[in-house]
Amino acid sequence: MVTIYDIAAKAGVSAMTVSRVINNTGKISDKTRAKVKRVMEELNYVPNQTARSLVLQQTRILFLLITDITNPFYTTLARGAEDAATKNGFRLLFGNSDESLDKESDYIQTILSTRVDGVLVAPAGDPSLPHLEKLRRHNIPFVLLDREVPGIGCDVVLGDSKEGGRRLVEHLAEHGHRRIAMINGSSSISSARLRLQGYREAMKLHDLPCGELDIYETSFGLRSDLSGIEAWLDAMPEPPTAIIAGNNVLALEVMSVLRKRGISVPEQISLVCFDDLGPYADFDPFITVIAQQAYHFGYIGMQMLLERIQEREPSAPWKKIVLPAELIVRRSVAEPPSP
Amino acid sequence: MVTIYDIAAKAGVSAMTVSRVINNTGKISDKTRAKVKRVMEELNYVPNQTARSLVLQQTRILFLLITDITNPFYTTLARGAEDAATKNGFRLLFGNSDESLDKESDYIQTILSTRVDGVLVAPAGDPSLPHLEKLRRHNIPFVLLDREVPGIGCDVVLGDSKEGGRRLVEHLAEHGHRRIAMINGSSSISSARLRLQGYREAMKLHDLPCGELDIYETSFGLRSDLSGIEAWLDAMPEPPTAIIAGNNVLALEVMSVLRKRGISVPEQISLVCFDDLGPYADFDPFITVIAQQAYHFGYIGMQMLLERIQEREPSAPWKKIVLPAELIVRRSVAEPPSP
DNA sequence: TAGCGTAGAGTTATCGATAACATTTCAAGC
DNA sequence: GCTTGAAATGTTATCGATAACTCTACGCTA
């Protein structure tokens, strides 16, 4: 591998001169600069970023840790983050925790040892706290995306989950639904908690019945086994006329179970969810959703992270951005079937 | 930031002894080992991977460069690659070239300067050749995924694109279609070329008409402007009764145009494509596709890459794996409407 | 008890770059 | 021709780890 010394030797200058040419610093005569550049081209020289990071104490690499790389919400978010990062001369690496605390922990370790300059995290849930404290202890700036974690102070970009929950209930109530059930992610995840809270408040406000059996708490991630969902549907004494899914993955899974049972949406049951389906919503614009501005989550989060890294205002108070929830009405809601 | 010297000082040993404890090499008394470990815990020490990489001349980091992070084909592939990498103690970083040669070139530069141990590339197309030659010149092992590039020798994992093209035509022909059009990615991409070739051969075999206007060559990536597709549909003298899309993104876009025009699928026109829609195919199992084993592309490609890196067989001949194409019949194909 | 082998440590050089300081070069001014 | 100061370039130390070598102390053997 060609090093800066090889270039220096061949160009008949010192390594420092080559370094100055590379970084455009200090004073170099045009003649020397040209000669060094020519030699670099000739030998296909590429500076060793590892060596550079070691002395500069910064990598200009940022990390985005998401919980589900196959979920379009996160890939769209990733695009936003990437765009903001490259626009500022940083590179972005991705990691995928799969909603697992263990994998998340591994990635945190990787992040610490790689000495990245900053991290964007969609945490697996409240128990992610120790992971975040680790980042804090090691002075690595980070911004939370989509989910808050109680107990840690930091910048965070959230969606208006509670409001989203309310709106979905209202939308269904307007169509005459009274038996509205909800399937949701774990309550150890702040967004799931707020979605549920919004749902509960709106149900109460509209004087709709809502027993504990109407709510099913499971994981946001993709599962191979849908029997939990089946059991839940069977357990409700009076079947619901509408279901709210806490995210897009859960909606897919509920849909799959309903189809298997020959229950048609929206004729026999209405179905709505949080999070849009990315490009696929376009394909068959079927399901009514609370859409989140996924791209903006990434873009804004990245901007906040870069501000912390470049510390325009040292130790500014933590910021919390809440992006609005938008109801997109499509074709998955109808009047409840007459009894 | 805590360094190995801080640990050494506090534990009253040399840095080398700490290094030996970290890496479990050499001989260390149990007493010393315990003391060093305790100090490392106390100070939350994490070894600096940058420094380590510099001296070891290896990073244990691999890179996956894909062309569309929002395409489920690639995210599923990414999962496979990640699983194979972590299983072997390597970490995997992702990059997204967006089907752009320029972005691809930037990533190649990043890869070279980061000194990763190996690369999995889905190239933007045949003009990616110089980028791959750069990797070769710098002795970075790489494996191509999904697309070949003429002019470079390397391991590659492909889908059986030609066979897929044939099968789609046959499937449509069996349903009585004679006017079958195709929208496809750029012919500078090997998989697009083969898909087209399969289509052409099958059309000829079945004695079906196929003029130049029936084929529309565009980009595989997502576009905001669908007017090209509109113009193509308008330009065909006799409208087709079926359309084959060269990948899932193109199918989405064609679908979008058709819906806008009030043309229903499959009643008025049949639509099939290459590549499945990931989890979304489950949601509304609508479109008939040639599915590729996306996960296996990643998993197998990664295994081949690791073999090259660990050089079990130095300079073994290049391997070319062709994964079978599977026709999944759903509901987007019907008999052509009677004239 | 001298000699020797080895477990358990330490020393020094190195990876490839850059910061900080040091030195050389050369043109302008008197 | 000599001084002076800025421009141009070089030298040395450093970042945090590891490889390769060296050293020390102790126990066993003859």
Side-chain angles (χ1 to χ4, degrees), chain A residues 28-336:
Chain A
I28 300 279
S29 71
D30 290 348
K31 205 179 114 209
T32 308
R33 186 193 314 281
K35 188 169 49 177
V36 170
K37 282 200 167 169
R38 189 155 33 72
V39 175
M40 290 200 297
E41 296 247 318
E42 240 178 83
L43 301 187
N44 289 305
Y45 170 68
V46 179
N48 185 327
Q49 187 58 43
T50 301
R52 197 179 234 165
S53 297
L54 186 58
V55 58
L56 293 179
Q57 299 287 63
Q58 57 147 351
T59 54
R60 293 196 82 75
I61 293 180
L62 303 172
F63 204 98
L64 170 63
L65 185 52
I66 57 183
T67 63
D68 184 359
I69 200 186
T70 59
N71 186 328
F73 171 70
Y74 287 115
T75 53
T76 308
L77 179 156
R79 272 291 183 73
E82 192 181 19
D83 285 354
T86 51
K87 199 166 285 181
N88 287 275
F90 283 78
R91 278 171 292 128
L92 183 62
L93 307 179
F94 305 89
N96 173 225
S97 74
D98 237 347
E99 301 278 1
S100 140
L101 283 168
D102 283 349
K103 287 200 187 179
E104 182 174 279
S105 175
D106 287 352
Y107 269 113
I108 295 291
Q109 204 61 22
T110 296
I111 284 166
L112 292 179
S113 68
T114 312
R115 301 292 199 269
V116 300
D117 293 348
V119 191
L120 242 35
V121 193
D126 295 355
S128 297
L129 181 59
H131 302 159
L132 302 178
E133 285 173 336
K134 223 167 179 176
L135 290 177
R136 178 58 43 78
R137 265 204 308 276
H138 288 269
N139 280 316
I140 301 192
F142 62 92
V143 171
L144 254 37
L145 299 181
D146 190 44
R147 301 167 177 186
E148 270 183 305
V149 171
I152 191 110
C154 62
D155 293 330
V156 53
V157 184
L158 300 173
D160 196 346
S161 288
K162 200 199 254 189
E163 176 64 18
R166 280 196 217 105
R167 292 266 279 283
L168 286 178
V169 170
E170 254 150 42
H171 179 71
L172 291 167
E174 280 165 15
H175 281 75
H177 291 273
R178 292 187 50 81
R179 291 279 307 123
I180 303 172
M182 177 163 190
I183 178 171
N184 200 14
S186 163
S187 278
S188 69
I189 297 173
S190 73
S191 57
R193 221 158 33 226
L194 288 168
R195 285 164 192 189
L196 181 62
Q197 205 179 326
Y199 159 82
R200 279 211 162 108
E201 288 181 14
M203 290 296 276
K204 200 162 190 179
L205 198 73
H206 288 260
D207 213 17
L208 301 177
C210 170
E212 277 318 302
L213 285 176
D214 295 334
I215 296 162
Y216 178 40
E217 182 182 318
T218 177
S219 148
F220 270 149
L222 212 61
R223 75 218 76 220
S224 43
D225 175 18
L226 300 177
S227 60
I229 298 177
E230 304 240 21
W232 171 56
L233 292 176
D234 291 335
M236 278 180 278
E238 195 191 342
T241 62
I243 295 177
I244 297 177
N247 79 346
N248 47 10
V249 174
L250 289 170
L252 295 181
E253 294 174 336
V254 168
M255 190 69 197
S256 178
V257 169
L258 294 177
R259 196 172 41 248
K260 194 176 130 207
R261 296 184 166 201
I263 301 173
S264 62
V265 177
E267 292 76 12
Q268 295 172 269
I269 197 166
S270 292
L271 176 64
V272 298
C273 72
F274 287 82
D275 296 339
D276 211 349
L277 295 186
Y280 307 94
D282 252 5
F283 178 56
D284 181 1
F286 170 69
I287 192 165
T288 292
V289 302
I290 286 287
Q292 302 202 80
Q293 307 175 320
Y295 185 90
H296 287 86
F297 272 72
Y299 199 93
I300 294 174
M302 182 56 80
Q303 286 185 321
M304 290 166 73
L305 181 61
L306 290 170
E307 294 222 344
R308 288 289 168 192
I309 290 171
Q310 290 154 2
E311 283 284 49
R312 293 186 220 294
E313 304 174 68
S315 65
W318 303 121
K319 268 177 280 188
K320 173 167 165 177
I321 308 279
V322 178
L323 297 175
E326 185 196 3
L327 181 70
I328 301 182
V329 177
R330 298 204 268 242
R331 303 185 284 102
S332 67
V333 174
E335 313 284 306

Side-chain angles (χ1 to χ4, degrees), chain B residues 91-218:
Chain B
R91 277 172 292 127
L92 183 62
L93 307 179
F94 304 88
N96 174 225
S97 73
D98 240 347
E99 300 279 1
S100 141
L101 281 168
D102 283 349
K103 287 199 187 180
E104 183 174 278
S105 174
D106 287 352
Y107 269 113
I108 295 290
Q109 204 60 22
T110 296
I111 284 166
L112 292 179
S113 69
T114 311
R115 303 289 200 269
V116 300
D117 292 347
V119 191
L120 242 36
V121 193
D126 293 357
S128 297
L129 181 60
H131 302 158
L132 302 178
E133 285 172 335
K134 224 169 181 176
L135 289 177
R136 178 58 44 77
R137 263 205 308 277
H138 287 268
N139 279 315
I140 300 191
F142 62 92
V143 171
L144 255 37
L145 300 180
D146 191 44
R147 302 167 177 186
E148 269 182 305
V149 170
I152 190 110
C154 62
D155 293 329
V156 53
V157 183
L158 299 172
D160 196 347
S161 288
K162 200 200 254 187
E163 175 63 18
R166 280 196 216 106
R167 293 267 278 281
L168 286 178
V169 170
E170 254 149 43
H171 179 71
L172 292 167
E174 280 165 16
H175 281 76
H177 291 274
R178 292 186 51 81
R179 291 280 307 123
I180 303 172
M182 180 163 186
I183 178 171
N184 200 15
S186 161
S187 279
S188 71
I189 297 173
S190 72
S191 57
R193 219 158 37 227
L194 288 169
R195 285 165 190 188
L196 182 61
Q197 205 179 325
Y199 159 83
R200 279 210 161 108
E201 288 183 13
M203 290 296 277
K204 202 163 190 179
L205 198 72
H206 288 259
D207 213 17
L208 301 176
C210 170
E212 277 318 303
L213 285 176
D214 295 333
I215 296 163
Y216 177 40
E217 182 181 319
T218 176

Side-chain angles (χ1 to χ4, degrees), chain A residues 17-36:
Chain A
T17 299
V18 179
S19 174
R20 283 193 262 255
V21 171
I22 295 169
N23 299 295
N24 248 311
T25 53
K27 319 220 172 229
I28 300 279
S29 71
D30 290 348
K31 205 179 114 209
T32 308
R33 186 193 314 281
K35 188 169 49 177
V36 170

